[in-house]
Structures are given as C-alpha cells and as structure tokens.
C-alpha cells in the first residue's frame, strides 16, 4: 500500500508558487522533534468561510460536543509537501485545503496541529486530536491496532478514504547507482521515514535480498531521509508518487533528485477517526461526498497538481 504509516506506536504524489518549500522538503522540517502524543509544532485552522454553524448543511450531523466547541482538532505531520507542510508559520497543502472545504459543509473549523507522524494514532486514542489528515494509508493493521507482527497494541482507528496514490523511488539527480527498482537496492543503503509503510516495504525487500544485505536507515522525518540521499549516504528514499514528484521538481531547483522506476502499490489515504466516534466519522464521510459532488474537491486537487489521485466517492475502511 501507499502512504505513511505509524511511528513510535505501530499502527500513508507528498509548483513555482511553492518553490520556497523546497528547503522544507529536503531539510527544513526539523521543527518536528516530538514523538508519542506530541502535536505542538504548528497549528492552522481551516476557515468555515461564509457557512456559519447554523447554516452549514451537515452541522447537525456532528456530535454535540463538537457542535458546542465549534472546532475539530486535526493531527498532521506538516513535513510532506505538497500534501501538508509549513510555509510562513502556517500549515498548507492538499490536506489543509480539503479540510477547509470540509469545514464549509460541517460548519466548524478544522484546526490542523502538526507533530511527528508516529504519534498521530496515539493522539486519537488519547482524545488529544479528533481526526488525522496526514497522507496516512488506510490499511488493516491500522484499522485493527496491530503491530508489524500482527500483535494487538491498540484499539485501531477507522478511516474515511479520500485520496489514492502509489509509491515511487527517489534517488540523487542523475541516478548514479543505476537504481530502477526495489531489486536494484540489494547490497545498498536506503533512507526512509521511520514508522511508515515505506519502511515496511524496505524491510520486506531486505528479506528478499537475503545475503546481499539491504541496509535501512530510518529517520524521524522524511526530510532527514532526503538529506541522506542527497549527501550520498543512501541511494534511495521511498515516497508517495505525488510527493516524490514534487520533491524532484522543487528541491535545488530540480537539481537534487529524480524519480525512478514505475509507480507501485497503489492504495488509499484515509482521514483517521476513533472507532468510538462513528457519528463524527459518518459526518466526515458525508461532507467528503458533498465536496466531491460540488466540485470543490476537484478544485483542491487541481490546485496542487494531484488530480490523478482523486477518488470518485468517499469510502470507510476500504484499505487492505
């Protein structure tokens, strides 16, 4: 599957207007240093626009406590351009823009708070956040709260699926090691963001490589993994195709990286929500279907050049 996975607990392509973010994509997202249930780095509220709470189409569908608060707290890891990243102290990208569109249907603000990816599911368990929008892949492991060995470690969460993407290899510009597939990585060193499904993919490939050892260097943020590849300490990073393509286009003016091989393991990104909050989950699903129908969903994806990742309708727990 695609997209980033958990980190710290076990259970998620990421345009001159955004050139300033290239530094973030490679080395500028080091502000995210916490783990576990830490989501304090930056926050961005999604404005409800002209739709007041009383007039928003789906306000009455929300749980009473959220109606009263007027806000939904959304956990994210804002280091994953163009999906979610920090620019000028504000969290921007595909997910925050979709959050704003959803807020107009729901009549409450979606307040994005950034922290490390591997603490996001924990933040749902603890009630610190009510949703996750962070390019997180919907898979059975996260739905059921399982670790890599199938051991139960948490309650699991539900997903409202909203985006489809495959994964791609990101290598140094010019591809000096001639990497074109996962099999080409045997005997080499790769870099990856810790706790993601990309790390799982590399681990599976390491088993396949056998005695021709694949060395995996895992980092708290993808920016650190990118830096390692750029410096030549690793031959490749693995990322969702829209993210890899964005990084290759923007980092160093397009001179740092390139995407190689074909896109694989297409899967779904989901908006994470507590299994105990089915009312919120169902309201978010209905809101997503509404913005797909009214065209605002398509407008957001077009803005960020990720139209190929659109879904035709919202689904719940459709990941495998």
């Amino acid at each position: 599957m695609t997209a980033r996975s958990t980190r710290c607990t076990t259970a998620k392509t990421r345009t001159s207007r955004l050139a300033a973010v290239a530094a973030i994509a490679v080395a500028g997202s080091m502000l995210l240093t916490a783990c576990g249930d830490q989501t304090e780095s930056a926050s961005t509220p999604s404005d409800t626009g002209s739709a007041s709470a009383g007039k928003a189409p789906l306000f009455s569908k929300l749980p009473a406590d959220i109606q009263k608060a007027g806000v939904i707290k959304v956990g994210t890891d804002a280091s994953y351009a163009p999906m979610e990243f920090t620019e000028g102290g504000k969290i921007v990208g595909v997910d925050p823009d979709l959050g704003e569109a959803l807020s107009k249907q729901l009549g409450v603000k979606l307040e994005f708070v950034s922290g490390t990816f591997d603490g996001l599911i924990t933040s749902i368990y603890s009630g610190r956040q009510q949703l996750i929008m962070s390019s997180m892949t919907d898979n059975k492991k996260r739905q059921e709260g399982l670790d890599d060995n199938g051991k139960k470690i948490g309650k699991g969460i539900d997903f409202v699926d909203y985006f489809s993407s495959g994964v791609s290899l990101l290598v140094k510009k010019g591809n000096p090691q001639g990497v074109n597939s996962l099999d080409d990585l045997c005997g080499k060193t790769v870099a990856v963001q810790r706790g993601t499904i990309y790390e799982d993919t590399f681990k599976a490939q390491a088993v396949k490589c056998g005695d021709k050892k694949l060395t995996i260097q895992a980092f708290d943020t993808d920016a650190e993994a990118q830096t390692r590849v750029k410096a030549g300490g690793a031959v490749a990073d693995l990322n969702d195709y829209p993210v890899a393509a964005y990084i290759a286009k923007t980092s160093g003016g397009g001179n740092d990286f390139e995407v190689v091989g074909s896109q694989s393991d297409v899967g779904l990104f989901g908006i994470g929500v507590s299994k105990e909050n089915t009312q919120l989950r169902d309201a978010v699903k209905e809101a997503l279907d509404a913005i797909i129908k009214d065209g605002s969903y398509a407008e957001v994806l077009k803005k960020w050049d990720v139209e190929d990742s659109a879904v035709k309708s919202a689904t719940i727990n459709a990941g495998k």
Side-chain angles (χ1 to χ4, degrees):
M1 301 272 175
T2 156
R4 301 186 288 183
S5 152
T6 66
R7 323 163 231 242
C8 283
T9 62
T10 304
K12 173 195 336 227
T13 312
R14 260 179 139 69
T15 78
S16 58
R17 162 170 68 82
L18 300 171
V21 182
I24 294 175
V26 178
S29 63
M30 307 303 291
L31 57 133
L32 301 178
T33 58
C35 199
D37 192 16
Q38 300 292 319
T39 48
E40 300 290 352
S41 299
S43 65
T44 297
S46 292
D47 194 345
T48 57
S50 60
S52 64
K55 296 180 181 179
L58 300 175
F59 179 75
S60 64
K61 300 292 184 73
L62 291 169
D65 60 333
I66 291 177
Q67 292 184 32
K68 183 177 180 180
V71 64
I72 298 173
K73 295 181 180 180
V74 184
T76 195
D77 174 0
S79 62
Y80 210 53
M83 296 303 295
E84 49 269 325
F85 59 99
T86 303
E87 185 176 53
K90 182 179 180 181
I91 300 172
V92 298
V94 177
D95 284 347
D97 282 356
L98 288 176
E100 184 170 352
L102 292 171
S103 74
K104 292 177 181 179
Q105 294 292 323
L106 296 169
V108 297
K109 293 180 180 179
L110 270 66
E111 183 178 72
F112 281 71
V113 181
S114 183
T116 53
F117 188 85
D118 57 3
L120 295 179
I121 290 180
T122 300
S123 74
I124 294 291
Y125 291 163
S126 69
R128 186 181 184 88
Q129 312 299 341
Q130 294 156 309
L131 295 178
I132 296 169
M133 288 189 71
S134 194
S135 309
M136 183 175 282
T137 297
D138 172 9
N139 59 34
K140 296 299 181 183
K141 182 173 69 174
R142 291 183 175 131
Q143 292 173 22
E144 298 174 9
L146 306 177
D147 67 10
D148 290 338
N149 297 314
K151 180 181 178 181
K152 187 77 171 178
I153 59 170
K155 301 175 183 177
I157 61 175
D158 284 340
F159 289 96
V160 178
D161 302 313
Y162 69 101
F163 196 86
S164 176
S165 176
V167 297
S168 295
L169 288 165
L170 186 72
V171 302
K172 194 172 182 178
K173 189 73 173 183
N175 194 11
Q177 297 295 319
V179 173
N180 291 294
S181 70
L182 289 171
D183 288 340
D184 293 334
L185 299 174
C186 295
K188 298 180 172 61
T189 297
V190 295
V192 70
Q193 186 175 14
R194 183 178 292 109
T196 62
I197 63 160
Y198 317 125
E199 185 180 17
D200 294 342
T201 297
F202 279 153
K203 287 179 179 178
Q205 182 62 33
V207 173
K208 186 177 178 182
C209 289
D211 292 339
K212 198 174 181 182
K213 185 178 179 182
L214 171 62
T215 300
I216 303 169
Q217 298 179 346
F219 299 90
D220 284 341
T221 69
D222 188 60
E224 293 172 280
Q226 294 167 35
T227 299
R228 189 67 174 159
V229 173
K230 182 180 177 182
V235 301
D237 182 17
L238 190 63
N239 242 315
D240 296 302
Y241 173 74
V243 178
Y246 174 86
I247 294 166
K249 181 178 181 179
T250 60
S251 180
N255 295 314
D256 290 341
F257 303 102
E258 64 182 82
V259 178
V260 297
S262 58
Q263 190 176 170
S264 61
D265 293 335
V266 176
L268 294 167
F269 292 177
I271 301 171
V273 60
S274 170
K275 286 186 174 293
E276 298 172 354
N277 203 343
T278 56
Q279 186 176 357
L280 175 59
R281 181 199 68 191
D282 293 346
V284 170
K285 179 186 182 299
E286 193 168 345
L288 179 57
D289 276 327
I291 66 173
I292 291 173
K293 183 177 181 179
D294 71 17
S296 53
Y297 171 84
E299 289 175 5
V300 170
L301 270 56
K302 182 178 181 180
K303 172 183 174 181
W304 294 101
D305 299 321
V306 291
E307 300 101 309
D308 289 347
S309 292
V311 297
K312 293 182 179 180
S313 63
T315 53
I316 293 175
N317 295 335
K320 299 180 180 179

